[in-house]
Amino acid sequence: RRGMGRLRLGTPGAISPPMPDISDAPSPNFDSRRAPPDLLVLHYTGMTSAEAAVARLRDPAAAVSAHYVVDEDGRILRLVAEERRAWHAGRGEWQGETDCNAASIGIEIVNPGHEFGYRPFPDAQITAVTALVADIRSRWTIPDSRIIAHSDLAPARKQDPGELFPWKTLAAAGHGLWFEPAPERIAALGPALTIGDEGLGVIVMRAGLHRLGYGLKPGGSYDDDTRLTVEAFQRHWRPARVDGIADGETRATLMGVLQLATAESPTGVLN
């Protein structure tokens, strides 16, 4: 495996941080589920303050909500019961699911986002998010390949929680997928692919992104939808450079993450 890169499925049996206290701040913005949740979507609030974000998530006129909000100091608010369908995901798709609200639990992480001064997530906040994710997964069956960013299900609309969110740290705690390709695997993939390119390399990459879960359909043209999907993938799995260009590192990482996701699937196949 050394020559293929470092594979991570998190740390089996990892000790979760102590669960912080959760306070209730009920939102009226929810409805009924059609099935138990099996998807976990992480967001940032993207507003100037935590107070403004919570007020919006509880405003009936806004018609948006999430199950939880995690503040920068680690405090957690529960807005909607997990058994209910919160309104956090909007239009999007992951692994063929197009009603992501119905399938998911949504966690809003307080951060001003790209519009209002995007900044790193404090350690206390990430510790709380990690504990919350572990707690949620103790109640519901949520595969690692279905712990995703808002930007993963809606690449054309969303950037959150963005490239500063420490997905590697979360995976090391046992939640989510992570893969770091070896240099020789990167080099073997040749020149980067970018807007306007066509051919087998683009076909293979688009098919891989689709199999992983993105709504991008298979095809042979590197169009704008492909660029946005590559950016979303990079924000989650190759955050050092988010440019929408599928260089060797991006494609090698995709191959590794897809390998992990396929191995995790009970049938060994992702649709």
Side-chain angles (χ1 to χ4, degrees):
R1 280 190 162 186
R2 181 180 301 275
M4 295 177 66
R6 287 173 283 170
L7 302 180
R8 290 180 187 266
L9 268 172
T11 304
I15 299 174
S16 299
M19 187 63 203
D21 291 336
I22 298 177
S23 300
D24 286 306
S27 170
N29 301 332
F30 65 86
D31 51 18
S32 299
R33 289 196 185 278
R34 54 177 169 76
D38 64 356
L39 179 65
L40 187 58
V41 181
L42 303 188
H43 308 252
Y44 61 41
T45 52
M47 298 185 70
T48 55
S49 69
E51 293 75 18
V54 171
R56 177 171 172 76
L57 292 166
R58 300 179 69 199
D59 180 0
V64 294
S65 62
H67 294 89
Y68 297 96
V69 175
V70 182
D71 208 338
E72 290 186 297
D73 61 5
R75 289 179 296 170
I76 300 175
L77 293 179
R78 177 169 41 224
L79 278 62
V80 175
E82 293 172 7
E83 295 81 6
R84 304 299 183 186
R85 178 181 179 272
W87 306 336
H88 59 95
R91 292 178 291 104
E93 179 178 342
W94 188 256
Q95 293 182 356
E97 176 61 70
T98 56
D99 185 354
C100 292
N101 282 333
S104 67
I105 291 173
I107 300 175
E108 289 277 359
I109 305 165
V110 173
N111 187 291
H114 293 81
E115 187 176 356
F116 296 110
Y118 191 42
R119 59 185 179 233
F121 298 81
D123 290 345
Q125 189 177 42
I126 295 306
T127 297
V129 169
T130 302
L132 178 59
V133 169
D135 187 55
I136 291 168
R137 294 183 88 196
S138 73
R139 289 184 291 279
W140 308 101
T141 301
I142 301 176
D144 286 299
S145 65
R146 290 175 70 80
I147 300 175
I148 63 169
H150 196 192
S151 54
D152 289 323
L153 69 89
R157 299 190 300 111
K158 297 296 180 179
Q159 298 177 302
D160 57 309
E163 59 276 8
L164 296 181
F165 184 81
W167 292 101
K168 180 178 178 179
T169 299
L170 189 64
H175 309 293
L177 302 176
W178 191 259
F179 179 85
E180 295 176 356
E184 59 269 26
R185 189 169 184 176
I186 296 170
L189 290 174
L193 301 173
T194 190
I195 285 282
D197 286 345
E198 296 183 344
L200 181 60
V202 178
I203 291 172
V204 170
M205 184 193 66
R206 286 183 55 150
L209 289 165
H210 180 73
R211 284 190 66 213
L212 181 59
Y214 290 98
L216 181 72
K217 302 302 185 250
S221 179
Y222 204 119
D223 54 15
D224 200 51
D225 285 342
T226 305
R227 177 186 62 81
L228 290 168
T229 304
V230 170
E231 284 187 3
F233 177 85
Q234 290 170 333
R235 289 185 198 284
H236 189 150
W237 282 288
R238 207 291 298 274
R241 189 168 70 252
V242 179
D243 56 10
I245 297 172
D247 58 1
E249 184 178 13
T250 298
R251 286 180 286 150
T253 303
L254 171 60
M255 292 168 62
V257 172
L258 186 58
Q259 179 184 354
L260 292 176
T262 302
E264 182 189 34
S265 170
T267 63
V269 176
L270 291 174
N271 293 323

